[in-house]
Every structure is written in C-alpha cells, then in structure tokens.
Amino acid sequence: RTVVVSDIVSKRVKRRFHSHSGRVNAVACSDNADIIVSSGYDSKVCLFDGRSWNATPIQTLEEAKDSVTAVSVWQQQQGGSAAGASTTAEIITASVDGVVRYYDLRMG
C-alpha cells in the first residue's frame, strides 16, 4: 500500500508514498530518481515526482485488468552532444492479465 524511500547510509525514511489499495508488487525509478514508479495488486501503476514532497501520484495508469507484477523505467539519451541531446523515458509494465504495456513518459 505504501512505497517507502529510505536513505541507506543514515537508515532514515526520506518519504512515503501512499497510493495503492492493495500490496505493492514492484517499484522502479528513473536514472536520477526524478520519477518513481510503483505497480500493485490493485492493477494500478502510480508515478510520483521524486523531487517533490507531495505524496500523491502525478499520474496513475489504470489500463491493466489484473495485478501489475513488474515495472521498469527505460531511458536513453539521443543526439550527439550533451547540450543538444534529448532523453527518451519509457515505462514498461507486465500484469497478470497477460499484457506487457509500454508508456512514453514524454507523452504525459
């Protein structure tokens, strides 16, 4: 039901995200932890702003018909130089309904 972000060195809880009505099955984050993604038994995928102290999801994906068991955030930098490069960020989920879903973070 809750995603807990902890500091490994100090062993302190940094923040808690309450979003699922059932068990949380998987958690992933972007390379710089700007986006934290959780998937749950309630068939929801929740996206959180890792830079904000707001504990509510910035977006909830509810296309799955059953428990979402896996989530991954995939990022790739496109373009030559760092100044002119763009980053693509995608979320890939798998659920008990037998469907692997793909979401493009740039599309909102």
PDB file of all heavy atoms in Angstrom, residues 30-60:
ATOM      1  N   SER A  30      13.560   6.464 -12.324  1.00  0.00           N
ATOM      2  CA  SER A  30      14.393   6.954 -13.418  1.00  0.00           C
ATOM      3  C   SER A  30      15.837   7.059 -12.942  1.00  0.00           C
ATOM      4  O   SER A  30      16.115   6.964 -11.746  1.00  0.00           O
ATOM      5  CB  SER A  30      13.873   8.313 -13.908  1.00  0.00           C
ATOM      6  OG  SER A  30      13.920   9.255 -12.867  1.00  0.00           O
ATOM      7  N   ASP A  31      16.755   7.254 -13.877  1.00  0.00           N
ATOM      8  CA  ASP A  31      18.183   7.285 -13.546  1.00  0.00           C
ATOM      9  C   ASP A  31      18.522   8.290 -12.453  1.00  0.00           C
ATOM     10  O   ASP A  31      19.333   8.025 -11.579  1.00  0.00           O
ATOM     11  CB  ASP A  31      19.014   7.600 -14.792  1.00  0.00           C
ATOM     12  CG  ASP A  31      18.998   6.457 -15.793  1.00  0.00           C
ATOM     13  OD1 ASP A  31      18.599   5.337 -15.423  1.00  0.00           O
ATOM     14  OD2 ASP A  31      19.360   6.695 -16.955  1.00  0.00           O
ATOM     15  N   ASN A  32      17.911   9.450 -12.493  1.00  0.00           N
ATOM     16  CA  ASN A  32      18.203  10.490 -11.500  1.00  0.00           C
ATOM     17  C   ASN A  32      17.134  10.563 -10.405  1.00  0.00           C
ATOM     18  O   ASN A  32      17.110  11.508  -9.633  1.00  0.00           O
ATOM     19  CB  ASN A  32      18.362  11.838 -12.188  1.00  0.00           C
ATOM     20  CG  ASN A  32      17.156  12.188 -13.036  1.00  0.00           C
ATOM     21  OD1 ASN A  32      16.146  11.484 -13.032  1.00  0.00           O
ATOM     22  ND2 ASN A  32      17.244  13.281 -13.765  1.00  0.00           N
ATOM     23  N   ALA A  33      16.253   9.574 -10.355  1.00  0.00           N
ATOM     24  CA  ALA A  33      15.177   9.470  -9.348  1.00  0.00           C
ATOM     25  C   ALA A  33      14.176  10.625  -9.417  1.00  0.00           C
ATOM     26  O   ALA A  33      13.491  10.899  -8.443  1.00  0.00           O
ATOM     27  CB  ALA A  33      15.755   9.336  -7.943  1.00  0.00           C
ATOM     28  N   ASP A  34      14.068  11.282 -10.570  1.00  0.00           N
ATOM     29  CA  ASP A  34      13.047  12.312 -10.756  1.00  0.00           C
ATOM     30  C   ASP A  34      11.652  11.701 -10.750  1.00  0.00           C
ATOM     31  O   ASP A  34      10.696  12.311 -10.298  1.00  0.00           O
ATOM     32  CB  ASP A  34      13.247  13.064 -12.069  1.00  0.00           C
ATOM     33  CG  ASP A  34      14.375  14.067 -12.005  1.00  0.00           C
ATOM     34  OD1 ASP A  34      14.873  14.335 -10.894  1.00  0.00           O
ATOM     35  OD2 ASP A  34      14.754  14.586 -13.064  1.00  0.00           O
ATOM     36  N   ILE A  35      11.539  10.496 -11.299  1.00  0.00           N
ATOM     37  CA  ILE A  35      10.262   9.798 -11.359  1.00  0.00           C
ATOM     38  C   ILE A  35      10.394   8.470 -10.618  1.00  0.00           C
ATOM     39  O   ILE A  35      11.328   7.700 -10.865  1.00  0.00           O
ATOM     40  CB  ILE A  35       9.832   9.521 -12.822  1.00  0.00           C
ATOM     41  CG1 ILE A  35       9.700  10.813 -13.617  1.00  0.00           C
ATOM     42  CG2 ILE A  35       8.543   8.700 -12.863  1.00  0.00           C
ATOM     43  CD1 ILE A  35       8.551  11.693 -13.174  1.00  0.00           C
ATOM     44  N   ILE A  36       9.474   8.215  -9.715  1.00  0.00           N
ATOM     45  CA  ILE A  36       9.393   6.941  -9.004  1.00  0.00           C
ATOM     46  C   ILE A  36       8.083   6.288  -9.426  1.00  0.00           C
ATOM     47  O   ILE A  36       7.032   6.921  -9.405  1.00  0.00           O
ATOM     48  CB  ILE A  36       9.450   7.151  -7.476  1.00  0.00           C
ATOM     49  CG1 ILE A  36      10.784   7.805  -7.108  1.00  0.00           C
ATOM     50  CG2 ILE A  36       9.248   5.830  -6.737  1.00  0.00           C
ATOM     51  CD1 ILE A  36      10.865   8.292  -5.688  1.00  0.00           C
ATOM     52  N   VAL A  37       8.159   5.018  -9.832  1.00  0.00           N
ATOM     53  CA  VAL A  37       7.007   4.305 -10.366  1.00  0.00           C
ATOM     54  C   VAL A  37       6.738   3.078  -9.497  1.00  0.00           C
ATOM     55  O   VAL A  37       7.663   2.337  -9.160  1.00  0.00           O
ATOM     56  CB  VAL A  37       7.263   3.853 -11.822  1.00  0.00           C
ATOM     57  CG1 VAL A  37       6.039   3.189 -12.403  1.00  0.00           C
ATOM     58  CG2 VAL A  37       7.699   5.018 -12.679  1.00  0.00           C
ATOM     59  N   SER A  38       5.477   2.881  -9.141  1.00  0.00           N
ATOM     60  CA  SER A  38       5.100   1.685  -8.386  1.00  0.00           C
ATOM     61  C   SER A  38       3.964   0.970  -9.100  1.00  0.00           C
ATOM     62  O   SER A  38       3.148   1.592  -9.781  1.00  0.00           O
ATOM     63  CB  SER A  38       4.674   2.050  -6.963  1.00  0.00           C
ATOM     64  OG  SER A  38       3.497   2.829  -6.975  1.00  0.00           O
ATOM     65  N   SER A  39       3.925  -0.349  -8.960  1.00  0.00           N
ATOM     66  CA  SER A  39       2.829  -1.133  -9.522  1.00  0.00           C
ATOM     67  C   SER A  39       2.276  -2.021  -8.426  1.00  0.00           C
ATOM     68  O   SER A  39       3.001  -2.405  -7.502  1.00  0.00           O
ATOM     69  CB  SER A  39       3.311  -1.973 -10.706  1.00  0.00           C
ATOM     70  OG  SER A  39       4.241  -2.947 -10.289  1.00  0.00           O
ATOM     71  N   GLY A  40       0.981  -2.318  -8.526  1.00  0.00           N
ATOM     72  CA  GLY A  40       0.378  -3.020  -7.410  1.00  0.00           C
ATOM     73  C   GLY A  40      -0.652  -4.070  -7.757  1.00  0.00           C
ATOM     74  O   GLY A  40      -1.056  -4.246  -8.914  1.00  0.00           O
ATOM     75  N   TYR A  41      -1.058  -4.752  -6.710  1.00  0.00           N
ATOM     76  CA  TYR A  41      -2.091  -5.781  -6.783  1.00  0.00           C
ATOM     77  C   TYR A  41      -3.425  -5.200  -7.236  1.00  0.00           C
ATOM     78  O   TYR A  41      -4.259  -5.900  -7.785  1.00  0.00           O
ATOM     79  CB  TYR A  41      -2.217  -6.427  -5.401  1.00  0.00           C
ATOM     80  CG  TYR A  41      -3.079  -7.658  -5.374  1.00  0.00           C
ATOM     81  CD1 TYR A  41      -2.603  -8.868  -5.873  1.00  0.00           C
ATOM     82  CD2 TYR A  41      -4.362  -7.620  -4.853  1.00  0.00           C
ATOM     83  CE1 TYR A  41      -3.389 -10.000  -5.861  1.00  0.00           C
ATOM     84  CE2 TYR A  41      -5.163  -8.744  -4.837  1.00  0.00           C
ATOM     85  CZ  TYR A  41      -4.666  -9.935  -5.339  1.00  0.00           C
ATOM     86  OH  TYR A  41      -5.455 -11.046  -5.330  1.00  0.00           O
ATOM     87  N   ASP A  42      -3.612  -3.903  -7.013  1.00  0.00           N
ATOM     88  CA  ASP A  42      -4.859  -3.221  -7.376  1.00  0.00           C
ATOM     89  C   ASP A  42      -4.946  -2.868  -8.860  1.00  0.00           C
ATOM     90  O   ASP A  42      -5.845  -2.159  -9.273  1.00  0.00           O
ATOM     91  CB  ASP A  42      -5.043  -1.969  -6.530  1.00  0.00           C
ATOM     92  CG  ASP A  42      -3.888  -0.979  -6.658  1.00  0.00           C
ATOM     93  OD1 ASP A  42      -2.966  -1.213  -7.466  1.00  0.00           O
ATOM     94  OD2 ASP A  42      -3.914   0.030  -5.940  1.00  0.00           O
ATOM     95  N   SER A  43      -4.016  -3.356  -9.675  1.00  0.00           N
ATOM     96  CA  SER A  43      -3.930  -3.158 -11.125  1.00  0.00           C
ATOM     97  C   SER A  43      -3.569  -1.728 -11.528  1.00  0.00           C
ATOM     98  O   SER A  43      -3.746  -1.340 -12.670  1.00  0.00           O
ATOM     99  CB  SER A  43      -5.206  -3.617 -11.849  1.00  0.00           C
ATOM    100  OG  SER A  43      -6.272  -2.724 -11.643  1.00  0.00           O
ATOM    101  N   LYS A  44      -3.029  -0.948 -10.603  1.00  0.00           N
ATOM    102  CA  LYS A  44      -2.624   0.424 -10.911  1.00  0.00           C
ATOM    103  C   LYS A  44      -1.107   0.548 -11.002  1.00  0.00           C
ATOM    104  O   LYS A  44      -0.366  -0.162 -10.324  1.00  0.00           O
ATOM    105  CB  LYS A  44      -3.120   1.395  -9.832  1.00  0.00           C
ATOM    106  CG  LYS A  44      -4.612   1.538  -9.779  1.00  0.00           C
ATOM    107  CD  LYS A  44      -5.056   2.714  -8.926  1.00  0.00           C
ATOM    108  CE  LYS A  44      -4.577   2.651  -7.511  1.00  0.00           C
ATOM    109  NZ  LYS A  44      -5.121   3.710  -6.660  1.00  0.00           N
ATOM    110  N   VAL A  45      -0.674   1.492 -11.834  1.00  0.00           N
ATOM    111  CA  VAL A  45       0.719   1.919 -11.899  1.00  0.00           C
ATOM    112  C   VAL A  45       0.712   3.391 -11.526  1.00  0.00           C
ATOM    113  O   VAL A  45       0.014   4.192 -12.148  1.00  0.00           O
ATOM    114  CB  VAL A  45       1.323   1.707 -13.307  1.00  0.00           C
ATOM    115  CG1 VAL A  45       2.738   2.253 -13.372  1.00  0.00           C
ATOM    116  CG2 VAL A  45       1.284   0.237 -13.688  1.00  0.00           C
ATOM    117  N   CYS A  46       1.460   3.760 -10.483  1.00  0.00           N
ATOM    118  CA  CYS A  46       1.473   5.147  -9.992  1.00  0.00           C
ATOM    119  C   CYS A  46       2.833   5.772 -10.225  1.00  0.00           C
ATOM    120  O   CYS A  46       3.860   5.158  -9.960  1.00  0.00           O
ATOM    121  CB  CYS A  46       1.129   5.178  -8.504  1.00  0.00           C
ATOM    122  SG  CYS A  46      -0.518   4.552  -8.138  1.00  0.00           S
ATOM    123  N   LEU A  47       2.820   7.008 -10.732  1.00  0.00           N
ATOM    124  CA  LEU A  47       4.040   7.765 -10.965  1.00  0.00           C
ATOM    125  C   LEU A  47       4.114   8.906  -9.959  1.00  0.00           C
ATOM    126  O   LEU A  47       3.129   9.643  -9.779  1.00  0.00           O
ATOM    127  CB  LEU A  47       4.046   8.348 -12.373  1.00  0.00           C
ATOM    128  CG  LEU A  47       4.318   7.389 -13.522  1.00  0.00           C
ATOM    129  CD1 LEU A  47       3.164   6.453 -13.756  1.00  0.00           C
ATOM    130  CD2 LEU A  47       4.635   8.168 -14.771  1.00  0.00           C
ATOM    131  N   PHE A  48       5.258   9.038  -9.326  1.00  0.00           N
ATOM    132  CA  PHE A  48       5.471  10.074  -8.320  1.00  0.00           C
ATOM    133  C   PHE A  48       6.612  10.977  -8.730  1.00  0.00           C
ATOM    134  O   PHE A  48       7.565  10.529  -9.371  1.00  0.00           O
ATOM    135  CB  PHE A  48       5.823   9.441  -6.961  1.00  0.00           C
ATOM    136  CG  PHE A  48       4.775   8.516  -6.438  1.00  0.00           C
ATOM    137  CD1 PHE A  48       4.860   7.156  -6.654  1.00  0.00           C
ATOM    138  CD2 PHE A  48       3.687   9.005  -5.731  1.00  0.00           C
ATOM    139  CE1 PHE A  48       3.897   6.288  -6.179  1.00  0.00           C
ATOM    140  CE2 PHE A  48       2.714   8.148  -5.253  1.00  0.00           C
ATOM    141  CZ  PHE A  48       2.828   6.789  -5.480  1.00  0.00           C
ATOM    142  N   ASP A  49       6.525  12.237  -8.328  1.00  0.00           N
ATOM    143  CA  ASP A  49       7.599  13.198  -8.554  1.00  0.00           C
ATOM    144  C   ASP A  49       8.632  12.995  -7.457  1.00  0.00           C
ATOM    145  O   ASP A  49       8.370  13.283  -6.290  1.00  0.00           O
ATOM    146  CB  ASP A  49       7.038  14.617  -8.520  1.00  0.00           C
ATOM    147  CG  ASP A  49       8.072  15.672  -8.848  1.00  0.00           C
ATOM    148  OD1 ASP A  49       9.284  15.352  -8.890  1.00  0.00           O
ATOM    149  OD2 ASP A  49       7.671  16.823  -9.058  1.00  0.00           O
ATOM    150  N   GLY A  50       9.797  12.488  -7.823  1.00  0.00           N
ATOM    151  CA  GLY A  50      10.854  12.225  -6.851  1.00  0.00           C
ATOM    152  C   GLY A  50      11.499  13.469  -6.287  1.00  0.00           C
ATOM    153  O   GLY A  50      12.181  13.413  -5.262  1.00  0.00           O
ATOM    154  N   ARG A  51      11.287  14.619  -6.906  1.00  0.00           N
ATOM    155  CA  ARG A  51      11.878  15.876  -6.426  1.00  0.00           C
ATOM    156  C   ARG A  51      10.964  16.612  -5.464  1.00  0.00           C
ATOM    157  O   ARG A  51      11.389  17.497  -4.746  1.00  0.00           O
ATOM    158  CB  ARG A  51      12.198  16.784  -7.612  1.00  0.00           C
ATOM    159  CG  ARG A  51      13.201  16.182  -8.576  1.00  0.00           C
ATOM    160  CD  ARG A  51      13.260  16.979  -9.842  1.00  0.00           C
ATOM    161  NE  ARG A  51      11.941  16.876 -10.486  1.00  0.00           N
ATOM    162  CZ  ARG A  51      11.626  17.411 -11.635  1.00  0.00           C
ATOM    163  NH1 ARG A  51      12.499  18.122 -12.285  1.00  0.00           N
ATOM    164  NH2 ARG A  51      10.425  17.267 -12.151  1.00  0.00           N
ATOM    165  N   SER A  52       9.698  16.260  -5.461  1.00  0.00           N
ATOM    166  CA  SER A  52       8.698  16.968  -4.659  1.00  0.00           C
ATOM    167  C   SER A  52       8.429  16.232  -3.347  1.00  0.00           C
ATOM    168  O   SER A  52       8.650  15.034  -3.244  1.00  0.00           O
ATOM    169  CB  SER A  52       7.399  17.068  -5.465  1.00  0.00           C
ATOM    170  OG  SER A  52       6.342  17.497  -4.656  1.00  0.00           O
ATOM    171  N   TRP A  53       7.907  16.943  -2.380  1.00  0.00           N
ATOM    172  CA  TRP A  53       7.495  16.320  -1.113  1.00  0.00           C
ATOM    173  C   TRP A  53       6.040  15.896  -1.169  1.00  0.00           C
ATOM    174  O   TRP A  53       5.499  15.364  -0.210  1.00  0.00           O
ATOM    175  CB  TRP A  53       7.735  17.278   0.054  1.00  0.00           C
ATOM    176  CG  TRP A  53       9.186  17.359   0.380  1.00  0.00           C
ATOM    177  CD1 TRP A  53      10.049  18.356   0.016  1.00  0.00           C
ATOM    178  CD2 TRP A  53       9.968  16.390   1.066  1.00  0.00           C
ATOM    179  NE1 TRP A  53      11.314  18.066   0.442  1.00  0.00           N
ATOM    180  CE2 TRP A  53      11.291  16.866   1.105  1.00  0.00           C
ATOM    181  CE3 TRP A  53       9.681  15.154   1.651  1.00  0.00           C
ATOM    182  CZ2 TRP A  53      12.326  16.149   1.700  1.00  0.00           C
ATOM    183  CZ3 TRP A  53      10.712  14.459   2.254  1.00  0.00           C
ATOM    184  CH2 TRP A  53      12.011  14.954   2.273  1.00  0.00           C
ATOM    185  N   ASN A  54       5.384  16.111  -2.316  1.00  0.00           N
ATOM    186  CA  ASN A  54       3.995  15.717  -2.477  1.00  0.00           C
ATOM    187  C   ASN A  54       3.903  14.195  -2.559  1.00  0.00           C
ATOM    188  O   ASN A  54       4.555  13.567  -3.391  1.00  0.00           O
ATOM    189  CB  ASN A  54       3.420  16.356  -3.740  1.00  0.00           C
ATOM    190  CG  ASN A  54       1.932  16.192  -3.852  1.00  0.00           C
ATOM    191  OD1 ASN A  54       1.315  15.464  -3.083  1.00  0.00           O
ATOM    192  ND2 ASN A  54       1.351  16.865  -4.816  1.00  0.00           N
ATOM    193  N   ALA A  55       3.092  13.585  -1.712  1.00  0.00           N
ATOM    194  CA  ALA A  55       2.993  12.127  -1.640  1.00  0.00           C
ATOM    195  C   ALA A  55       1.928  11.547  -2.561  1.00  0.00           C
ATOM    196  O   ALA A  55       1.786  10.333  -2.649  1.00  0.00           O
ATOM    197  CB  ALA A  55       2.713  11.701  -0.199  1.00  0.00           C
ATOM    198  N   THR A  56       1.189  12.398  -3.265  1.00  0.00           N
ATOM    199  CA  THR A  56       0.160  11.893  -4.178  1.00  0.00           C
ATOM    200  C   THR A  56       0.763  11.676  -5.564  1.00  0.00           C
ATOM    201  O   THR A  56       1.672  12.402  -5.966  1.00  0.00           O
ATOM    202  CB  THR A  56      -1.037  12.857  -4.277  1.00  0.00           C
ATOM    203  OG1 THR A  56      -0.561  14.133  -4.708  1.00  0.00           O
ATOM    204  CG2 THR A  56      -1.727  13.010  -2.935  1.00  0.00           C
ATOM    205  N   PRO A  57       0.272  10.692  -6.299  1.00  0.00           N
ATOM    206  CA  PRO A  57       0.829  10.421  -7.627  1.00  0.00           C
ATOM    207  C   PRO A  57       0.603  11.593  -8.588  1.00  0.00           C
ATOM    208  O   PRO A  57      -0.427  12.251  -8.537  1.00  0.00           O
ATOM    209  CB  PRO A  57       0.051   9.197  -8.106  1.00  0.00           C
ATOM    210  CG  PRO A  57      -0.618   8.632  -6.916  1.00  0.00           C
ATOM    211  CD  PRO A  57      -0.775   9.742  -5.944  1.00  0.00           C
ATOM    212  N   ILE A  58       1.570  11.829  -9.465  1.00  0.00           N
ATOM    213  CA  ILE A  58       1.402  12.844 -10.509  1.00  0.00           C
ATOM    214  C   ILE A  58       0.613  12.261 -11.671  1.00  0.00           C
ATOM    215  O   ILE A  58       0.028  12.990 -12.456  1.00  0.00           O
ATOM    216  CB  ILE A  58       2.745  13.431 -10.989  1.00  0.00           C
ATOM    217  CG1 ILE A  58       3.693  12.331 -11.468  1.00  0.00           C
ATOM    218  CG2 ILE A  58       3.378  14.257  -9.908  1.00  0.00           C
ATOM    219  CD1 ILE A  58       4.980  12.840 -12.094  1.00  0.00           C
ATOM    220  N   GLN A  59       0.589  10.921 -11.755  1.00  0.00           N
ATOM    221  CA  GLN A  59      -0.196  10.247 -12.779  1.00  0.00           C
ATOM    222  C   GLN A  59      -0.458   8.818 -12.324  1.00  0.00           C
ATOM    223  O   GLN A  59       0.388   8.194 -11.688  1.00  0.00           O
ATOM    224  CB  GLN A  59       0.549  10.238 -14.111  1.00  0.00           C
ATOM    225  CG  GLN A  59      -0.263   9.714 -15.263  1.00  0.00           C
ATOM    226  CD  GLN A  59       0.435   9.917 -16.602  1.00  0.00           C
ATOM    227  OE1 GLN A  59       1.583  10.329 -16.667  1.00  0.00           O
ATOM    228  NE2 GLN A  59      -0.261   9.624 -17.665  1.00  0.00           N
ATOM    229  N   THR A  60      -1.641   8.304 -12.653  1.00  0.00           N
ATOM    230  CA  THR A  60      -1.998   6.922 -12.361  1.00  0.00           C
ATOM    231  C   THR A  60      -2.435   6.252 -13.651  1.00  0.00           C
ATOM    232  O   THR A  60      -3.285   6.772 -14.371  1.00  0.00           O
ATOM    233  CB  THR A  60      -3.135   6.860 -11.316  1.00  0.00           C
ATOM    234  OG1 THR A  60      -2.707   7.539 -10.135  1.00  0.00           O
ATOM    235  CG2 THR A  60      -3.469   5.425 -10.961  1.00  0.00           C
TER     236      THR A  60
END
